[in-house]
Amino acid sequence: MKTVSTRRRRLVSNSITYGIVIAAYVIIQILMAGDNLSNSLQSQLIPICAYVVMAVALNLVVGISGELSLGHAGFMSVGAFSGVIAATCLQNTIPSDALRLAVSMVVGAICAGVAGFIVGVPVLRLRGDYLAIVTLAFGEIIKNIINVLYIGLDEEGLHLSLESEAALGLGEGGKAILSGPMGATGINKISSFTAGFILVLITITVVLNLVNSRSGRAIMAMRDNRIAAESVGIGATKYKLMAFVTSAVLAGAAGTLYAMNYSSVTAKKFDFNTSILILVFVVLGGIGNIRGSIIAAAFLTVLPELLRSLNLDKYRMLVYAIVLILVMIATNNAAIRGFFAQLKSRLSKKDREEQKGGAAQ
């Protein structure tokens, strides 16, 4: 009975999460069709999708796995620049923008996953502050590597240099894709809100299925009590690495989606501040709360633009900071948390009574 009740609550909770995302997509499409959405808000739709994916992915590491990562923007940048390179190389081979974007996102996800595996194998043996410091260093290392990397494309294929764009030796008709500190320029903007919506659904599906699987329970067991989990044969590195690499793969796909929405992208867009911003989404939405991460990422991304539209341009960042503080206080208020705990208890009691009534019949 208890198992059936747990599965039922899980199904209802997951359905609500999917329902919120689908309802938001339908409402936005209706507003866009009626020309009731401002251009500034429309320009925020794809970044919102990218940040939602990043928040859910980071929550898998911070909330579900219980490890603090401060370099998640590094995986986003790996996916962004590798996706841009793939899209540029496939421009003549795959004429369809949607298909080319999908292939580029897969390439970005794979490259970020490889980076996550390389970083995760040694790093996940560390704990607490040490892990946070090393992941922070990784994000900065990736940014500095991209700042000295020059990649070009001509009829002979890809050219790579660590010196300058002239050192690439591009032939006639050649094009520089990555120009060191200037980043990637001349990008064909092929990202779309629909592609972002699909990526969000894929991310939610992957994370929820992992969390509710046997591997997910092992990951959470490691988070709750590492010694007890290891004593029953759960491998610490294996399961933590699974969560870390999965999170990196999703971050890479989000990076490609984000980068292909702009005509130029620099490594500065994926610095330490971006990692902290994503961590803020996770903390404010509730650590381990997937639905909360989605709502927090969407709301806090669009909030500065909403404040700008209210003619609060001079004070919008001040208001933004005050909103963050108030939300933090509200989410950590004992009375509010007690109310929701009591509501959850009542719903559970109602489920048990309905099950008893069904069994009696």
Side-chain angles (χ1 to χ4, degrees):
M1 287 291 184
K2 187 175 181 181
T3 304
V4 174
S5 178
T6 302
R7 288 178 179 174
R8 190 186 193 175
R9 286 200 300 272
R10 185 187 303 159
L11 179 62
V12 171
S13 178
N14 292 351
S15 300
I16 292 172
T17 303
Y18 284 111
I20 289 172
V21 174
I22 294 170
Y25 175 75
V26 171
I27 291 170
I28 290 171
Q29 289 288 9
I30 292 171
L31 290 174
M32 289 173 64
D35 200 22
N36 294 317
L37 205 63
S38 66
N39 291 330
S40 61
L41 288 178
Q42 286 187 40
S43 66
Q44 290 290 312
L45 293 178
I46 295 173
I48 285 172
C49 292
Y51 283 136
V52 165
V53 172
M54 288 294 296
V56 174
L58 183 60
N59 211 343
L60 182 60
V61 175
V62 176
I64 309 303
S65 183
E67 303 291 349
L68 180 59
S69 173
L70 295 180
H72 230 58
F75 299 120
M76 190 179 184
S77 67
V78 171
F81 290 103
S82 58
V84 167
I85 293 169
T88 305
C89 293
L90 296 171
Q91 190 166 348
N92 297 326
T93 308
I94 305 177
S96 171
D97 289 347
L99 183 57
R100 191 163 71 254
L101 175 63
V103 173
S104 301
M105 287 168 68
V106 171
V107 171
I110 292 172
C111 291
V114 171
F117 181 81
I118 293 172
V119 173
V121 170
V123 164
L124 290 175
R125 299 179 187 275
L126 304 173
R127 302 183 192 179
D129 297 339
Y130 299 104
L131 176 63
I133 292 168
V134 173
T135 52
L136 171 61
F138 162 74
E140 293 301 308
I141 289 169
I142 291 295
K143 186 181 75 172
N144 287 309
I145 289 174
I146 293 171
N147 279 333
V148 298
L149 195 61
Y150 295 85
I151 297 177
L153 177 69
D154 61 11
E155 293 179 353
E156 296 180 1
L158 285 173
H159 297 255
L160 187 146
S161 173
L162 297 176
E163 297 177 6
S164 65
E165 188 174 324
L168 291 173
L170 296 174
E172 187 177 352
K175 175 185 178 183
I177 303 173
L178 196 58
S179 304
M182 298 294 292
T185 56
I187 301 172
N188 288 329
K189 298 190 285 185
I190 57 176
S191 289
S192 65
F193 178 49
T194 300
F197 166 70
I198 294 171
L199 181 60
V200 170
L201 289 182
I202 291 172
T203 301
I204 295 171
T205 303
V206 170
V207 172
L208 290 180
N209 277 283
L210 177 59
V211 170
N212 296 322
S213 67
R214 182 179 179 182
S215 298
R217 290 191 291 272
I219 292 168
M220 289 185 283
M222 291 298 306
R223 175 198 65 190
D224 295 336
N225 194 321
R226 185 186 181 111
I227 296 173
E230 289 180 334
S231 69
V232 295
I234 297 176
T237 306
K238 173 186 173 182
Y239 287 105
K240 286 186 178 294
L241 187 62
M242 183 186 297
F244 195 75
V245 172
T246 303
S247 180
V249 166
L250 296 173
T256 302
L257 177 75
Y258 183 88
M260 301 305 293
N261 184 49
Y262 299 98
S263 57
S264 63
V265 178
T266 62
K268 264 197 312 189
K269 285 185 176 287
F270 310 102
D271 59 4
F272 171 69
N273 292 327
T274 303
S275 292
I276 294 300
L277 178 64
I278 298 162
L279 184 61
V280 167
F281 296 154
V282 173
V283 173
L284 290 184
I287 295 177
N289 188 339
I290 304 301
R291 194 184 310 143
S293 296
I294 295 170
I295 296 171
F299 175 69
L300 293 179
T301 302
V302 79
L303 180 60
E305 292 302 322
L306 290 176
L307 294 175
R308 192 195 300 272
S309 65
L310 294 174
N311 295 323
L312 295 173
D313 194 41
K314 291 183 179 179
Y315 307 102
R316 66 189 180 92
M317 296 314 295
L318 175 62
V319 176
Y320 181 79
I322 292 172
V323 170
L324 288 182
I325 294 170
L326 292 176
V327 172
M328 182 68 75
I329 292 172
T331 54
N332 288 277
N333 186 281
I336 295 174
R337 293 171 65 180
F339 169 77
F340 284 107
Q342 188 177 10
L343 181 62
K344 185 177 180 180
S345 177
R346 288 179 180 177
L347 291 174
S348 300
K349 184 177 179 181
K350 185 178 179 181
D351 285 341
R352 288 195 296 270
E353 289 175 353
E354 288 177 356
Q355 288 173 7
K356 287 179 181 178
Q361 290 177 0

